[in-house]
Amino acid sequence: MTDTATLGLYGLGTMGSALALNILDKGFGLYVSNRSAKAVPAFVDEARDEGLAERLTGSDSLEDMVKAMPAPRAIILMVPSGRPVDSTIDTLIPLLEDGDTIIDAGNSDFRETRARTAKVEDAGLTYIGMGVSGGEDGARHGPSIMVGGTPEAWDAVRPVIEAISAKFEGAPCADHLGPDGAGHFVKTVHNGIEYADMQLIAEIYGLMRYGRGDTPAEIGKVFEGWDDGPLGSYLVEITGKVLQATDTETGKPAVDVILDAAGQKGTGRWTAIEAIRMGRSASIIEAAVAARALSSEVGVRAKGEDIFGACRAAIDLSDEILHDALLVGRILSYAQGFRILKAASEEFDWSIDMARTAEVWRAGCIIRSVLLDDIASAFRSDLPEGELIFAPPLVDRLKAASLALRKTVCAAATHGHATPALSSALFFLDTMRHARGTADVIQAQRDFFGRHGFVRLDGREDQHGPWWDDAG
Ligand SMILES: NC(=O)c1ccc[n+]([C@@H]2O[C@H](COP(=O)([O-])OP(=O)(O)OC[C@H]3O[C@@H](n4cnc5c(N)ncnc54)[C@H](OP(=O)(O)O)[C@@H]3O)[C@@H](O)[C@H]2O)c1
């Protein structure tokens, strides 16, 4: 993908074809292929219809595509994560030569990306793990792109990646964020934050709908208004739209004909797993993952309602309070996402630039929001303890709005509305504002049953409690 490298794309599904059209649209030549050969002429026709087929070459197989491409080559894979990526790499390695690059642009597990980087580099080739966010529309018109690989690999692909990426005030929302798995890890955390934000929004909707009795259209209007303020974001914008949409078949609000069982492909869960593994619990993201899992148990929940009875009662919360509760929840879930990124960056020696990461997320991706510009600036200032929530502008917002989150969670709990993400956000804030918590009791218990020892407040380590004197 340097001036001289030829560019190929394998996997003409939803994301692959959109990204391919975007690449052609920006004036680059492109070779394409797909597992099922019939998708290739269909794509060529689509490109022709858009006046973009001039620099396009379609091949019936990956082998034919590689043969048609003059070296050096850079081949983007847009296939499902896991086995399809491995089998495609296994096919490609013997076909490629020194100077060629494989770019995995799917949602791969960063650990697999690390292993594949080693394997592909051992074969004398270059490997890039590239997170792409923005869905089909983003891929077509400008996604947010998170690149992992060597600086040299980045330099070679940079012109095309920057050209096809989203722009925020003219600046590309694409960057090299570290070696091997760093790009895919940042994408994973992006999706974890996405899960949290979607859950927070859904909970606020639930309080308006089932607590205040508002109609979806009324709630949609409120979200539409919020999109103009500090909550301005893609997710708030589309929530406003989906809530005001009508099902053409029944004339009911569109959301009212949708089964409330949330799907998930794994990236939110990976974020929660990695956070726990690193000892940096991301409670809001974990709550969102758990809520999706529980939502899928439709039959069990119906039985639960039969047995226990539904207990959602009316609540009295204003739009302003719910707005502020959502804003605080969002700030805290971003903060948790960045804490995980920081921990992973230290563990894997990635040196991820947090400010750049926030900037790359400002446009093109699903979690894009006006808040991310403030977050990028916060990371460029001196952060007390390195913590985003201690950045002065965010402290001011949290101080001004956290009472609204407390009122919201209190009202929800009192009146029987499940708000796991909002409650986890409040729990996180309350934990982080108390110098002394309750883990002294845990340490005493651990010492009591397992002689694990504890640190005394004067700093002496490996101390034991009087219960062992008694036992002796
Ligand atoms: N959809 C999104 O919004 C989104 C957003 C960001 C990232 N992603 C990631 O992008 C990647 C592609 O997603 P998508 O939504 O474009 O999927 P998709 O529409 O289902 O397309 C999958 C593509 O992969 C090919 N494929 C499937 N199994 C294969 C195998 N074993 N070997 C070779 N090729 C295989 C398919 O070929 P056939 O035509 O032969 O089936 C098709 O071209 C995934 O990693 C996904 O997680 C998706």
Side-chain angles (χ1 to χ4, degrees):
M1 282 156 86
T2 56
D3 287 346
T4 53
T6 48
L7 181 59
L9 187 145
Y10 182 66
L12 292 168
T14 309
M15 290 295 280
S17 8
L19 203 65
L21 290 173
N22 184 357
I23 292 168
L24 293 164
D25 215 2
K26 299 298 176 305
F28 298 95
L30 185 65
Y31 293 76
V32 295
S33 184
N34 191 66
R35 178 180 62 171
S36 327
K38 64 178 190 306
V40 178
F43 175 75
V44 173
D45 286 347
E46 191 185 347
R48 189 172 298 115
D49 289 347
E50 294 203 28
L52 297 172
E54 200 187 321
R55 285 176 292 274
L56 174 65
T57 309
S59 300
D60 283 350
S61 69
L62 186 56
E63 288 81 353
D64 286 352
M65 183 181 94
V66 174
K67 273 188 215 147
M69 295 172 69
R73 313 166 181 89
I75 298 177
I76 298 174
L77 312 185
M78 216 16 146
V79 299
S81 60
R83 278 230 193 107
V85 177
D86 283 320
S87 64
T88 309
I89 290 172
D90 288 342
T91 307
L92 273 175
I93 285 178
L95 300 172
L96 298 180
E97 55 197 273
D98 195 16
D100 289 348
T101 302
I102 300 174
I103 302 164
D104 172 17
N107 274 342
S108 288
D109 181 333
F110 82 101
R111 291 179 188 281
E112 293 182 358
T113 303
R114 283 166 69 81
R116 288 173 190 140
T117 302
K119 176 175 165 174
V120 171
E121 286 179 356
D122 279 352
L125 307 169
T126 302
Y127 196 74
I128 287 178
M130 187 168 95
V132 177
S133 176
E136 184 180 5
D137 192 57
R140 174 65 184 88
H141 300 289
S144 165
I145 304 180
M146 297 140 258
V147 176
T150 61
E152 297 73 33
W154 166 239
D155 284 344
V157 300
R158 188 174 182 162
V160 72
I161 298 298
E162 288 190 343
I164 63 171
S165 74
K167 308 290 179 299
F168 180 85
E169 294 174 357
C173 288
D175 210 344
H176 175 236
L177 297 171
D180 51 71
H184 276 142
F185 190 80
V186 173
K187 173 70 201 309
T188 299
V189 172
H190 163 284
N191 285 23
I193 295 171
E194 176 185 311
Y195 272 49
D197 209 26
M198 291 169 76
Q199 178 65 26
L200 290 164
I201 289 172
E203 289 174 16
I204 295 290
Y205 159 78
L207 292 171
M208 291 174 158
R209 182 79 197 272
Y210 304 110
R212 299 198 317 197
D214 299 356
T215 65
E218 286 166 345
I219 302 167
K221 265 267 165 258
V222 174
F223 274 87
E224 191 184 305
W226 287 355
D227 191 37
D228 277 337
L231 281 173
S233 58
Y234 176 68
L235 284 171
V236 163
E237 178 197 336
I238 64 165
T239 305
K241 288 185 175 152
V242 299
L243 291 176
Q244 293 182 74
T246 303
D247 177 49
T248 45
E249 240 178 77
T250 59
K252 291 181 178 172
V255 283
D256 282 1
V257 302
I258 299 174
L259 184 71
D260 66 321
Q264 52 178 322
K265 288 196 173 157
T267 38
R269 189 166 54 221
W270 293 347
T271 312
I273 290 169
E274 289 305 325
I276 291 172
R277 203 192 51 72
M278 291 186 295
R280 297 289 174 94
S281 170
S283 54
I284 311 171
I285 297 169
E286 288 159 26
V289 174
R292 283 202 191 189
L294 292 173
S295 79
S296 70
E297 298 188 37
V298 179
V300 178
R301 289 189 286 117
K303 180 54 81 183
E305 186 167 325
D306 281 351
I307 294 174
F308 297 113
C311 70
R312 286 190 297 223
I315 53 163
D316 180 20
L317 290 171
S318 65
D319 286 354
E320 290 68 30
I321 285 183
L322 291 170
H323 171 279
D324 284 2
L326 180 54
L327 183 62
V328 174
R330 174 175 281 179
I331 293 172
L332 297 175
S333 58
Y334 278 126
Q336 288 192 342
F338 279 104
R339 283 162 60 81
I340 306 167
L341 276 185
K342 195 172 150 214
S345 182
E346 282 162 11
E347 179 168 336
F348 297 105
D349 210 9
W350 281 336
S351 303
I352 294 176
D353 182 331
M354 301 299 154
R356 275 305 291 143
T357 301
E359 283 167 359
V360 163
W361 289 345
R362 285 180 304 186
C365 68
I366 305 296
I367 64 167
R368 62 185 184 258
S369 74
V370 294
L371 199 56
L372 280 161
D373 205 29
D374 297 342
I375 289 177
S377 309
F379 274 120
R380 295 208 185 285
S381 64
D382 260 350
L383 286 180
E385 299 290 323
E387 286 293 333
L388 184 60
I389 56 168
F390 299 154
L394 294 182
V395 168
D396 291 345
R397 282 189 177 192
L398 289 171
K399 280 187 173 171
S402 62
L403 183 61
L405 177 62
R406 192 173 305 286
K407 283 182 179 168
T408 301
V409 171
C410 280
T414 307
H415 297 96
H417 299 263
T419 54
L422 289 163
S423 304
S424 296
L426 183 62
F427 137 71
F428 177 58
L429 185 61
D430 281 343
T431 300
M432 298 315 251
R433 68 194 297 172
H434 290 119
R436 186 161 174 82
T438 54
D440 44 351
V441 177
I442 310 250
Q443 286 299 78
Q445 291 165 336
R446 292 178 69 243
D447 185 57
F448 191 102
F449 65 67
R451 226 185 214 289
H452 291 297
F454 51 76
V455 181
R456 290 185 72 98
L457 285 177
D458 59 14
R460 279 177 291 158
E461 296 182 0
D462 240 345
Q463 301 295 301
H464 297 284
W467 38 86
W468 284 107
D469 299 343
D470 293 350

